[in-house]
Amino acid sequence: MTNKTTDTNSSSSEDLLKDQVASEGAAQKAAPVADSKTKPAKKAKKVDKTKAELAEMKEIAQRVQADFENYKKRVAKERLEIQQRSTESLMNDLLAVVDAFEQALSALTDQPQPIVEGINKIKLQLSDALAKHGFEEIVAEEVFNPDKHEAVLTEGDGTLDVPVIVEVLRKGYTVHGRVLRPAMVKVKS
């Protein structure tokens, strides 16, 4: 009987040992499972945080790019304005030359035709060169426009609602649409 008891004891010891090893193995296996469940959660949080940071950086980059585009447009506009103002300054200096040609042509009524034609050609060349840079003569419309005309003489009894241009005394000019010199006119009101 002792043998049976010993066999039972050893068999139960072996079973106990197997159970203990199995439970330890299960505990060890369970620990990585629990640990492996927390690792993906941490990784997911880290990925979400990185994605949020990436989106924020992308937004900042887009804003900087838009600011730079606006800056380039503003600088180009300012450069064009500076160029136009310098052109205006040059055109203002050349107004005396244009006026001198106008006076010369009106005084050449009794001169030989080739001289008149020569001065006319030079004036035309000068006008064409100036027009390439935005220089234009103000067309004297029938109705007086205080933005483009300067009334230096008036006639009439004031019965007209809108003043009408009767005569242009000195031509006016614009450069790039801006009035360089208003036309001096005589108006009837």
Side-chain angles (χ1 to χ4, degrees):
M1 184 107 179
T2 47
N3 266 350
K4 281 186 185 180
T5 313
T6 312
D7 269 343
T8 310
N9 281 344
S10 62
S11 151
S12 84
S13 295
E14 282 179 14
D15 287 340
L16 262 169
L17 186 61
K18 284 181 185 178
D19 286 344
Q20 188 178 10
V21 168
S23 67
E24 284 178 6
Q28 285 178 353
K29 286 182 183 177
V33 170
D35 199 30
S36 66
K37 286 182 183 176
T38 58
K39 282 185 180 178
K42 285 181 182 177
K43 284 183 181 179
K45 282 184 181 179
K46 202 172 193 179
V47 167
D48 289 344
K49 184 179 177 185
T50 305
K51 283 182 180 179
E53 288 175 356
L54 177 64
E56 184 180 344
M57 292 300 161
K58 200 175 197 180
E59 185 178 326
I60 289 171
Q62 288 173 340
R63 284 185 190 158
V64 168
Q65 187 175 10
D67 286 345
F68 184 67
E69 290 297 321
N70 291 337
Y71 167 78
K72 285 184 353 184
K73 289 176 185 176
R74 187 177 70 245
V75 167
K77 184 179 177 184
E78 288 172 358
R79 186 177 296 143
L80 181 63
E81 277 184 23
I82 290 169
Q83 182 182 8
Q84 288 178 348
R85 294 219 187 258
S86 64
T87 302
E88 280 181 29
S89 176
L90 175 64
M91 297 300 173
N92 200 19
D93 292 342
L94 290 175
L95 276 177
V97 177
V98 173
D99 288 341
F101 270 109
E102 292 290 332
Q103 290 172 350
L105 284 172
S106 64
L108 290 176
T109 55
D110 58 345
Q111 295 297 320
Q113 192 64 23
I115 293 175
V116 174
E117 286 177 9
I119 291 179
N120 243 343
K121 282 183 182 181
I122 294 171
K123 181 192 177 288
L124 184 63
Q125 286 176 338
L126 177 64
S127 296
D128 288 346
L130 294 174
K132 288 179 185 177
H133 298 282
F135 187 80
E136 295 178 15
E137 181 180 329
I138 294 175
V139 179
E141 302 149 359
E142 193 172 297
V143 177
F144 176 75
N145 181 348
D147 294 331
K148 296 179 180 179
H149 307 111
E150 181 181 353
V152 291
L153 295 172
T154 58
E155 67 178 36
D157 53 6
T159 56
L160 295 174
D161 292 335
V162 180
V164 178
I165 296 173
V166 177
E167 182 182 354
V168 177
L169 304 173
R170 183 182 75 187
K171 290 182 179 181
Y173 298 95
T174 62
V175 176
H176 301 291
R178 295 175 60 144
V179 176
L180 186 61
R181 179 178 77 186
M184 278 188 175
V185 294
K186 178 179 180 181
V187 294
K188 182 176 184 180
S189 58

